[in-house]
Amino acid sequence: MDRWDWLVLLGIVLLGLGLALLAPWLGVAVTGLLLTAAGIAGGVLAERPSGAADRSKGGGP
């Protein structure tokens, strides 16, 4: 994990804690949604460079 991953993780935790002070169910729901979105986006972005490298060599569609 690089520094940006830690920054996003800290932001999600602080957002969840802040919302939990307002309404516990809201904090849990929003934090879960943000973690799911971050996980999906991270997985997609992690696969992206390998495809771009194959296309630059002429190996992709």
Side-chain angles (χ1 to χ4, degrees):
M1 289 179 69
D2 62 0
R3 63 181 165 181
W4 300 111
D5 294 333
W6 286 109
L7 186 63
V8 170
L9 182 61
L10 178 64
I12 290 172
V13 168
L14 290 176
L15 180 65
L17 287 174
L19 289 172
L21 292 174
L22 178 65
W25 62 269
L26 184 61
V28 171
V30 171
T31 303
L33 179 66
L34 288 175
L35 285 172
T36 302
I40 291 171
V44 168
L45 291 176
E47 292 297 320
R48 196 175 237 179
S50 63
D54 290 342
R55 273 187 249 115
S56 66
K57 295 178 183 175

